[in-house]
Amino acid sequence: MEKIELYNGDITKLKVDAIVNAANTSLLGGGGVDGAIHRAAGPELLIECRRLNGCLSGQAKMTNGYLLPASHVIHTVGPIWRGGHQHEPELLTSCYLECLKIADKNQFKSIAFPNISTGVYGYPKKEAAQIALTTANSFLTKHTYPHIVLFAIFDEENLNIYQKLMSLND
Ligand code: ADP
């Protein structure tokens, strides 16, 4: 997994080609990482988001990064965890994949993901991390872009999970 790295901290500080936002279907902002990204990007982000007409779960849409150090924001909507039999794994896989496809299409060298759905949306963290790492790893082996995938980890539980899973796959 040499093209995958962990970053322990606030995703809004990263100077990458794109940071991913764990948004909701309205794309009009919210709490958690979504709120942090909108605060750091400034009001122009919301103006552009309003023109996108929302986003379905498992899909992704891109905007500029405005005042963020990152050039772009890729907004994706993770599934709300409802017990695991409402297509949650397929939808979460699709979130990572659709963001990576946008990065590839735009020849982005670097992309940073938050731990989509593992906050308010309640996805079990270990299962979510397995999906994130497997999807990124398999995409990277088949595509030239992105060159590097960063996982921005904001809590200790996720950090432990990612460190363990990545050491198993070394
Ligand atoms: P969701 O609704 O998809 O669960 P949340 O924003 O509630 O989205 O949580 C997703 C993940 O983002 C959580 O693991 C949370 O700890 C993390 N997070 C919250 N703020 C930030 C931030 N500024 N940078 C990176 N990750 C963050």
Side-chain angles (χ1 to χ4, degrees):
M1 290 199 177
E2 70 271 17
K3 292 156 92 184
I4 296 179
E5 281 179 21
L6 299 184
Y7 161 81
N8 186 203
D10 183 351
I11 199 167
T12 67
K13 307 289 183 209
L14 289 175
K15 192 172 165 29
V16 286
D17 292 315
I19 60 169
V20 172
N21 182 14
N24 55 52
T25 53
S26 77
L27 295 186
L28 299 180
V33 71
D34 195 4
I37 288 173
H38 275 271
R39 274 194 300 280
E44 281 188 276
L45 178 60
L46 183 58
I47 294 169
E48 185 175 359
C49 281
R50 282 207 191 99
R51 291 201 289 264
L52 298 177
N53 291 315
C55 184
L56 295 172
S57 181
Q59 304 287 302
K61 293 187 178 180
M62 187 163 73
T63 64
N64 284 319
Y66 299 100
L67 301 178
L68 289 164
S71 316
H72 301 86
V73 180
I74 303 174
H75 306 261
T76 190
V77 182
I80 298 171
W81 180 259
R82 294 192 170 94
H85 300 289
Q86 309 284 330
H87 307 290
E88 294 94 330
E90 292 85 351
L91 289 168
L92 189 60
T93 304
S94 172
C95 285
Y96 283 101
L97 206 51
E98 291 305 313
C99 292
L100 290 163
K101 281 189 202 164
I102 290 174
D104 183 30
K105 210 163 96 185
N106 290 281
Q107 304 195 332
F108 288 165
K109 292 196 175 94
S110 52
I111 183 171
F113 285 97
N115 302 138
I116 302 165
S117 284
T118 69
V120 173
Y121 281 6
Y123 208 108
K125 290 180 181 176
K126 188 173 173 202
E127 283 78 356
Q130 274 163 336
I131 287 175
L133 287 170
T134 312
T135 309
N137 209 30
S138 112
F139 194 92
L140 286 170
T141 59
K142 294 185 212 131
H143 299 84
T144 312
Y145 293 97
H147 293 174
I148 181 150
V149 172
L150 287 169
F151 286 102
I153 317 278
F154 210 57
D155 67 89
E156 198 158 330
E157 195 186 343
N158 266 316
L159 186 63
N160 290 333
I161 290 168
Y162 272 80
Q163 282 173 338
K164 199 163 167 189
L165 288 174
M166 285 181 66
S167 67
L168 290 175
N169 285 299
D170 265 346

